[in-house]
Amino acid sequence: MKVGKFQEIVLDSRLPYIQQREQFFHELCHAVRHAGRQSIMPYSFYELQERDARHFTLYASLPTHMINDYNLSNPAIIDQWSRDFKIPKKVCVERLEKIKSRIVPSAKSKFIYI
């Protein structure tokens, strides 16, 4: 919400804390990266902003420098991230899928990061 020069992020206090954190990162993206009022913008711009906010949420809630030391092969990685970062499991699953989509098997080493 924007009032003059001031911006605020309003979260639904009825949601569980873990969902409030996801909502916070989503709204933070809108506050720092987007301009305009979604209620009056063309739908394609609205979709673009929502997609960007979803992408931002993945990387802001589970930053690369903080997840580098986790074992991605661990079958409980989703539960561990969700517990450690206080983020819903669906966000953790999506973040792990993004990471795995950038990994290419190599004959010389276990993984090559693109």
Side-chain angles (χ1 to χ4, degrees):
M1 187 174 354
K2 204 180 238 189
V3 179
K5 292 196 270 185
F6 300 98
Q7 291 187 46
E8 65 182 1
I9 295 174
V10 179
L11 303 176
D12 186 344
S13 63
R14 297 168 296 179
L15 291 175
Y17 179 72
I18 203 165
Q19 289 178 322
Q20 286 181 29
R21 281 184 50 82
E22 177 187 12
Q23 187 181 43
F24 170 77
F25 288 115
H26 181 95
E27 297 306 327
L28 178 63
C29 177
H30 289 305
V32 299
R33 294 174 57 135
H34 299 152
R37 294 178 59 194
Q38 285 187 333
S39 60
I40 61 171
M41 66 178 51
Y43 187 71
S44 57
F45 287 121
Y46 164 80
E47 282 183 316
L48 179 64
Q49 286 188 353
E50 287 302 309
R51 202 174 9 214
D52 183 50
R54 182 72 190 151
H55 184 79
F56 179 92
T57 298
L58 294 177
Y59 290 85
S61 64
L62 294 159
T64 302
H65 74 281
M66 293 179 75
I67 62 175
N68 274 341
D69 293 333
Y70 283 86
N71 177 4
L72 300 182
S73 303
N74 179 355
I77 190 71
I78 299 302
D79 292 328
Q80 189 176 9
W81 279 354
S82 181
R83 189 175 49 254
D84 292 353
F85 292 95
K86 310 285 189 274
I87 291 295
K89 289 180 183 179
K90 65 182 175 71
V91 174
C92 299
V93 167
E94 194 173 343
R95 181 70 165 104
L96 185 59
E97 287 172 358
K98 293 272 188 196
I99 292 167
K100 287 184 175 182
S101 72
R102 294 185 5 217
I103 298 173
V104 179
S106 167
K108 292 181 182 177
S109 65
K110 187 173 179 182
F111 295 111
I112 294 177
Y113 292 90
I114 299 175

